[in-house]
Amino acid sequence: MAEGRSPFRRPPTMRDVSRLAGVSPMTVSRTLADPGLVSQETRARVLAAVAQLGYVPDRGAGGLSSRRTGFVALIVPTLTNPNFADTAAGLTQAMRPRGYQPLIGVTGYSVSEEEVVVRAMLSRRPDAIVVSGMQHSPATRDLLARAGVPVVEIWDRPKAPVDRAVGFSNYEVGRLAARTLIGLGATRIAGLGPERTGDVRDFRGEERLRGLRDGLGQAGLPDDRILHHGRAAGAFAHGAEAMAELLRRGGAEAVFLVSDISAFGALMECRRRGVQVPEDVQILGFGDIEIGRQCVPRLSTIAVDATEIGHRTGRLLLGLLDGEADLPNAIDLGFRLVLRDSTAPR
Amino acid sequence: MAEGRSPFRRPPTMRDVSRLAGVSPMTVSRTLADPGLVSQETRARVLAAVAQLGYVPDRGAGGLSSRRTGFVALIVPTLTNPNFADTAAGLTQAMRPRGYQPLIGVTGYSVSEEEVVVRAMLSRRPDAIVVSGMQHSPATRDLLARAGVPVVEIWDRPKAPVDRAVGFSNYEVGRLAARTLIGLGATRIAGLGPERTGDVRDFRGEERLRGLRDGLGQAGLPDDRILHHGRAAGAFAHGAEAMAELLRRGGAEAVFLVSDISAFGALMECRRRGVQVPEDVQILGFGDIEIGRQCVPRLSTIAVDATEIGHRTGRLLLGLLDGEADLPNAIDLGFRLVLRDSTAPR
DNA sequence: GCTTGCGTTGGTATCGGTACCATGGTTCCC
DNA sequence: GGGAACCATGGTACCGATACCAACGCAAGC
């Protein structure tokens, strides 16, 4: 009764700890931040008081004072795509041991939503910002540039980065796809990506298809089978729908899909219709997600190491935040062709 | 030059806005928090100043003062499993429009890591905590109970919840799996889950297998084909490895796997070995992830609505945070059997 | 005309930490 | 033996917002 609304007592503060340990709050702060600064004996007393009270420091208050929040904003189109989930995991793995907490924002591939999310992130004063892609609204670009903290654009290779970049060229991925499928003997080559519905666009996927188109053009092949069809990227159903549409239009000897997720959907659609892969149609995906390695036939793909993008971004940021000099402005992690069972020379 | 380390100027504060608009900081605060409290004319001037300066409020400072941070901690085993990614999306969708920011922590199915993550979350003073499962270390349970904010345990149905719960009974999922496979005419029934390596355990998966075992026992069937084999849950390879092991041991007529991810891996392993599904072996999964709907044959599964778990949790929390009374302590969302093509009566 | 009350605005204290500077006590060394 | 150098600790002023209360002007009410 006396305690009132029972579970809602307030957590102990540093002041409480300091009183119990018989020292000043500053000494508690030092004990926790840099134990080497206090004497062995004092440290023991403080830590005992911390344990007894179950004290957990308030990093919000600490951040206000020190101007370092320990947040790293990570803005991705979706977490449902394992590529981005892996990048998030890689970044977390690299930065959490050093006390940084990722703050994840999801845009759903929408440019306007990205702006909203960036604003929400900025209100938390992150120590660094990681954002997918290089295509932003002017307002978003401005927000990022003025944020006053390191900004890393990932999963792309911007010509004019806001600040830093870690990724690869999506356009060159598309060109490699063209060369690869041509090299495998195909001449009727298709490219499948999602529809653009207003503000919702997969810019990087479009860039890969642009590379494919140019690659085909340079080889003197027609690019009339490049389709933007079906719902937004990141859903298996997209690939199935797009492949169905392609077959309706006469099919192709080889198909490049903007993501392995779609490629898997396409593969299954072929199976449902009795279209043999790779005999009747070859399928090449992008991203190298685990499903592609497990499914039958295994998916040929242009692989990027999503986890490594997270790692490298994390290490770059740690260097930047430690004030190291001579850190690269852009890291190109490249990509590599992995031919498995959904393609075969003919 | 004069500007110094150029991009690192400090963002404008409410004080800057107030000076530009010719009002007090309090009026700026009110304009942003509850515009109805200021006159039309003042509001216009303040908003103009906000826009001109590109002011973004510091919610860390605001939280310190108001004791409401706007954070909701969400602690999950992994984001790579689409089930949890969907729950995260559902929770975000429900709470972000009201200004709450999810703070995602990933435990990797480790009990000790969960404690570390909970502590990290608590240091951000979230307004609410959402945590997967009901099995925690005593220290974690204590931290949660003393946090002084609403706690929701999800994806389970705890007998003694820390506070609230939104989920379903994993044990009953297992029993339904047993009844289902028996009803389809199988007598040699297997259950496959991951190994427990020390501190890393999938408690909910184990619970589903326990339900299966009891279900088999009650029907007088042997439970000697319940295997814990292969790497941790959440990887497709797990299902493939476990299925390979099962086949090595003589196989089964029907198999229940603790997750659709594993079930898909198992399905592909069968394909590689020329084992026909469902003719030679029936496969039943759990979770109803999209791959299972797209693959061939389509996966039979016991479905739960992961997104809805996030939604309902979000709505419950909004009610709790608004101080509504008469909110349920536990919400059981249940599950349902979805028979597709990987099972068939024999 | 003076009180009452509302709508609008401002002042001050405070949230829980950390930066920065000051202090007292030792040790070291020429 | 006296001062520099250092170690361990404390005091004070913030960080950037909001809660709370006071005060102002003006209209309504008696």
Side-chain angles (χ1 to χ4, degrees), chain A residues 104-188:
Chain A
I104 299 178
V106 175
T107 68
Y109 288 98
S110 153
V111 173
S112 60
E113 188 63 12
E114 183 184 54
E115 188 174 325
V116 172
V117 170
V118 166
R119 212 175 286 274
M121 298 286 125
L122 287 177
S123 76
R124 301 299 183 170
R125 300 293 188 267
D127 294 337
I129 303 175
V130 180
V131 55
S132 319
M134 57 180 189
Q135 308 261 20
H136 318 289
S137 76
T140 301
R141 234 190 123 81
D142 198 55
L143 283 171
L144 292 174
R146 293 160 163 280
V149 295
V151 174
V152 184
E153 288 165 282
I154 60 172
W155 279 90
D156 218 331
R157 203 183 65 187
K159 287 200 182 80
V162 173
D163 182 11
R164 314 302 243 245
V166 175
F168 57 89
S169 165
N170 284 284
Y171 178 77
E172 291 300 333
V173 166
R175 300 227 317 152
L176 174 58
R179 284 202 303 281
T180 302
L181 295 176
I182 293 168
L184 287 168
T187 52
R188 286 165 49 236

Side-chain angles (χ1 to χ4, degrees), chain B residues 155-171:
Chain B
W155 278 91
D156 218 331
R157 203 184 66 188
K159 285 200 184 79
V162 173
D163 181 12
R164 313 302 241 247
V166 175
F168 57 91
S169 165
N170 284 283
Y171 177 78

Side-chain angles (χ1 to χ4, degrees), chain A residues 14 26 29 55 61 65 68:
Chain A
M14 190 170 274
M26 262 322 296
S29 176
Y55 171 68
S65 177
R68 282 174 290 105

Side-chain angles (χ1 to χ4, degrees), chain B residues 34-51:
Chain B
D34 188 352
L37 289 176
V38 301
S39 71
Q40 170 114 32
E41 185 198 2
T42 307
R43 194 190 316 152
R45 242 174 334 135
V46 169
L47 293 180
V50 165

Side-chain angles (χ1 to χ4, degrees), chain B residues 261-282:
Chain B
I261 300 182
S262 299
F264 177 79
L267 187 64
M268 292 302 122
E269 184 66 21
C270 288
R271 237 180 113 60
R272 276 189 288 272
R273 294 172 173 250
V275 175
Q276 300 286 319
V277 176
E279 293 78 4
D280 300 337
V281 58
Q282 310 198 47

Side-chain angles (χ1 to χ4, degrees), chain B residues 205-282:
Chain B
E206 290 177 16
E207 195 63 9
R208 295 192 282 276
L209 286 189
R210 193 171 69 83
L212 178 75
R213 168 171 280 126
D214 285 1
L216 295 180
Q218 280 156 23
L221 293 173
D223 61 1
D224 58 341
R225 287 183 174 78
I226 295 185
L227 267 49
H228 291 268
H229 187 82
R231 72 192 73 182
F236 295 99
H238 161 256
E241 289 168 22
M243 179 56 91
E245 173 69 14
L246 176 65
L247 293 173
R248 203 153 34 232
R249 296 197 189 184
E253 292 164 13
V255 188
F256 170 60
L257 288 108
V258 289
S259 97
D260 275 2
I261 300 182
S262 299
F264 177 79
L267 187 64
M268 292 302 122
E269 184 66 21
C270 288
R271 237 180 113 60
R272 276 189 288 272
R273 294 172 173 250
V275 175
Q276 300 286 319
V277 176
E279 293 78 4
D280 300 337
V281 58
Q282 310 198 47

